[in-house]
Amino acid sequence: MKNVLGKLFAQYPSLNYVGLALWLGWSAVAFSRAFEFYDFISASNVFGLFTFIQIGSIVVFLLAAVLPEQVSSRLLSPSALFASAGVATLCIVSTIALFELADEGAIGSSSYAAIYAIASILTGASLVPLFLKCIVPFCSQAPKRATLRFAQTLFQSGLYYFLVVGSPRIFSLVLFCLTPLLIVILQIPTRSSTAKPSAKSTSQFNRPFIGLFVAMTIYAIAMRIFEPYVASVLPRDSSMFVSSFSICLLLIVTIALVCAVVTVKGAFPFGRIYHLAIALLLVTVLSPSVFNSSPVMLSILCLAIVHFLTMLYRCILAYIVFQSGMNPMKLFGFGMAAISLGSLIGNVAGALLIRVASELELLYLLSFAMVFLCIIAAFLIFPESKMKALLLPVDEPALDALENKERPVKWWMEAAERAARQGRLSEREKEVFFLLVRGKSTQQIADKLFLSPYTVKAHTRNIYAKLDIHSKKEATALVE
């Protein structure tokens, strides 16, 4: 059993990537209206679920941005993560049960609204620490590698999405409700890897940062403002097709991004990809009034561009953390709060405009207003010059060469630490174990630690018993 756990722990940070994939997949399922329990949920309920979850997310993201050290030490501890996952699971189950009770008329409208709002806000707030815990390893990787890892999580989240929406109802509900707990379980091997803020983590953001956050908010508004309109005119039986096709389209675009990352030599042009994505957003915004696209096609484009731009923003934030040494809690806190705030404003504004304008007027008003705001954001608030000021070139080949040079010692030390922690070795036993697996003899260990050979042999027997091994060869295999 210990050997199995050791092999499992050795997969870090691969398990961490799966954790983020589950988080992304859960979000895609929750807001897609493709899940089977949405059969008795109206579009207004989905709108409310999204709105309240965003409110809870904004509060905790801002808390992480303002108090990054406290959040890292308290909200990201193993016990706090399990508590967050438990709260999220309980709230998800309560929300689903509440929908069923309301559908049967077994609960009053006022009680329904209050419980629904509180449960949704708590769900959003409790899911944020899980995201922050998953995102930290991405910030320690070079930009290209981090982008490839983000693409990997998107593919895994797509698999999770199709698994949930395509499975029998009971299995889907259980998997959907237990996903927060699964995310935390995947973080168990990382319990000792708390993000440590650097000296720059307390510095104030300058103008390029503020421009980035404002632009992110504006683009999020543009991405989400059509969703209430689409939800109001989209046939219910088209939800599954729209959601599934948009996920497939997103994966195709992600494959293109991966090919670009792999083939481009030198620094990857994030600025060009960023502005290309903004151009796609403008085409999507103009599609209702200029191209007369159908609600189904508009919904597919909206969902695909939302997921892709959000992934691109996460890549940019991880890039900035990597090269600047900022605390990831602070930067991702402000960045994700900006995206959540823009999504919230866009969703609410879209719902309000549906009620006060006719269909044709609404389309023209939203399309051209959003195009105007996006152009201002792209050329005035956060132009390419500010993008270059934030994303300084990184010599990734040199970094890879340095990492490959240091990897054997670093990897060996991490493997030895994992094995010692797994076996719960004492401090003296750890010292003996580290020398033992480096090939030192009993006499050499005794001379090094100023112990008698008999004491070293006693420690060695205890080490073998705790690690469930029987020879020095098996001990060495634990760190190879």
Side-chain angles (χ1 to χ4, degrees), residues 181-415:
L181 289 173
L182 293 176
I183 295 173
V184 176
I185 291 173
L186 292 174
Q187 307 310 308
I188 291 178
T190 73
R191 57 182 177 271
S192 62
S193 59
T194 305
K196 296 181 180 180
S198 68
K200 297 181 181 181
S201 65
T202 57
S203 61
Q204 297 295 324
F205 290 122
N206 52 22
R207 282 191 174 183
F209 282 106
I210 297 174
L212 172 63
F213 297 146
V214 174
M216 290 169 71
T217 304
I218 292 175
Y219 294 139
I221 294 174
M223 288 187 294
R224 295 289 186 180
I225 200 166
F226 284 110
E227 288 197 1
Y229 163 76
V230 171
S232 65
V233 299
L234 190 67
R236 183 180 293 271
D237 56 1
S238 300
S239 298
M240 175 67 77
F241 170 78
V242 167
S243 301
S244 301
F245 198 88
S246 64
I247 295 295
C248 293
L249 179 61
L250 172 66
L251 296 181
I252 293 173
V253 175
T254 305
I255 291 174
L257 177 64
V258 169
C259 294
V261 171
V262 173
T263 56
V264 171
K265 296 182 179 180
F268 185 70
F270 275 96
R272 296 180 182 177
I273 301 298
Y274 169 80
H275 287 96
L276 176 61
I278 299 305
L280 293 175
L281 175 62
L282 294 179
V283 172
T284 304
V285 170
L286 286 172
S287 59
S289 56
V290 177
F291 303 111
N292 295 320
S293 62
S294 66
V296 172
M297 182 57 64
L298 177 60
S299 182
I300 292 173
L301 291 174
C302 284
L303 288 174
I305 198 67
V306 163
H307 292 301
F308 181 74
L309 258 179
T310 305
M311 184 201 72
L312 191 60
Y313 275 129
R314 294 189 185 110
C315 294
I316 291 173
L317 293 176
Y319 191 144
I320 296 172
V321 172
F322 174 81
Q323 68 175 10
S324 67
M326 285 187 173
N327 191 311
M329 299 295 107
K330 185 173 184 178
L331 192 60
F332 270 92
F334 278 120
M336 297 306 298
I339 294 176
S340 298
L341 178 62
S343 300
L344 177 63
I345 294 174
N347 215 39
V348 173
L352 292 176
L353 287 172
I354 287 177
R355 299 180 181 181
V356 300
S358 66
E359 183 175 328
L360 184 60
E361 293 172 345
L362 171 67
L363 291 178
Y364 278 89
L365 176 64
L366 290 182
S367 297
F368 291 105
M370 286 301 101
V371 168
F372 179 72
L373 284 177
C374 290
I375 290 175
I376 291 178
F379 291 98
L380 296 179
I381 298 177
F382 191 64
E384 188 172 358
S385 59
K386 291 185 178 180
M387 171 75 78
K388 292 180 179 180
L390 287 180
L391 303 182
L392 301 176
V394 175
D395 189 357
E396 296 195 37
L399 289 175
D400 291 338
L402 179 62
E403 183 179 347
N404 290 332
K405 183 179 180 180
E406 297 178 349
R407 184 176 297 171
V409 176
K410 181 180 178 182
W411 181 88
W412 176 87
M413 288 298 296
E414 290 178 350

Side-chain angles (χ1 to χ4, degrees), residues 59 167 408:
V59 172
S167 299

